[in-house]
Amino acid sequence: HCFCENVRVNPDHKLTAVHTTPAADTPHSMLRLFVSLQLLVAAFAGVDVCPGEGPRYGDYKCNHDGTHRVCAQLVEESSGSPLSWGEGGDFWEITGQKQWQWDTSIVSEPNPGDSWCICMWAFAKLIGRVGCENVHLRCDSTDISYVLGSYHDGGHSLDEAHTCIEQKCPDAVARFRG
């Protein structure tokens, strides 16, 4: 018997696992097992393409690194201009990233659209500033299982992000919790 401590999905979709003995069966190890299993489920559950995401991941999906797991609509579909997220302004204003605003990349080839894979911390910050009702989230293109299995990102608690995803994406959450 071995205990699977860490599961990773490589870019070529092969699994890599690090094993320890059952003696490592502590509550902390069990939590790591639970999170590892969530990552494994996410790798096979599928995340749709985030329309507008750039070529940094090759397949335009929000399921590759440890933070860019939320597909959020950032620009108006018809005009391509930054989308307002309530009184706080647009995504770049609210998250303090205005100097790096990349809206022209979102609407351009090779994957033109209106959305981008954003950091979980930015998603949490947006919810805190404008409320869940003003958040523009693409449920099928967000790595729901990964976000729900994460508790902090970039120094931000993801509690409000979990609650918002549960409100906005009930079908995806139900599939995850099965």
Side-chain angles (χ1 to χ4, degrees):
H1 292 35
C2 73
F3 168 79
C4 186
E5 181 179 286
N6 193 2
V7 177
R8 297 178 195 260
V9 180
N10 298 325
D12 60 357
H13 302 295
K14 291 182 181 174
L15 300 177
T16 302
V18 176
H19 299 280
T20 61
T21 64
D25 217 4
T26 64
H28 181 68
S29 296
M30 294 307 289
L31 176 63
R32 288 175 28 200
L33 171 63
F34 177 73
V35 172
S36 295
L37 289 174
Q38 285 180 318
L39 291 173
L40 183 62
V41 167
F44 293 103
V47 173
D48 289 352
V49 167
C50 184
E53 172 60 37
R56 63 184 162 170
Y57 302 123
D59 63 1
Y60 313 105
K61 295 183 178 185
C62 304
N63 63 351
H64 294 281
D65 66 23
T67 188
H68 296 94
R69 297 295 183 123
V70 176
C71 182
Q73 184 184 358
L74 304 185
V75 298
E76 292 281 351
E77 191 172 355
S78 57
S79 68
S81 60
L83 182 64
S84 174
W85 289 52
E87 293 181 23
D90 64 40
F91 167 83
W92 294 279
E93 291 169 327
I94 295 167
T95 59
Q97 299 182 73
K98 195 68 172 172
Q99 66 188 15
W100 298 290
Q101 184 171 320
W102 57 89
D103 54 320
T104 56
S105 297
I106 292 171
V107 300
S108 302
E109 293 292 338
N111 180 34
D114 58 11
S115 303
W116 196 261
C117 298
I118 66 170
C119 298
M120 295 184 297
W121 70 261
F123 181 59
K125 185 173 183 175
L126 288 163
I127 295 164
R129 290 278 303 275
V130 303
C132 182
E133 66 277 2
N134 292 311
V135 170
H136 307 282
L137 172 67
R138 291 191 174 275
C139 297
D140 291 338
S141 300
T142 294
D143 193 345
I144 301 290
S145 61
Y146 188 89
V147 178
L148 292 179
S150 301
Y151 297 92
H152 291 89
D153 184 49
H156 295 269
S157 167
L158 299 179
D159 291 345
E160 285 185 286
H162 294 174
T163 301
C164 186
I165 284 176
E166 289 166 354
Q167 291 173 11
K168 291 207 168 258
C169 308
D171 294 339
V173 170
R175 282 192 305 271
F176 164 66
R177 293 192 172 145

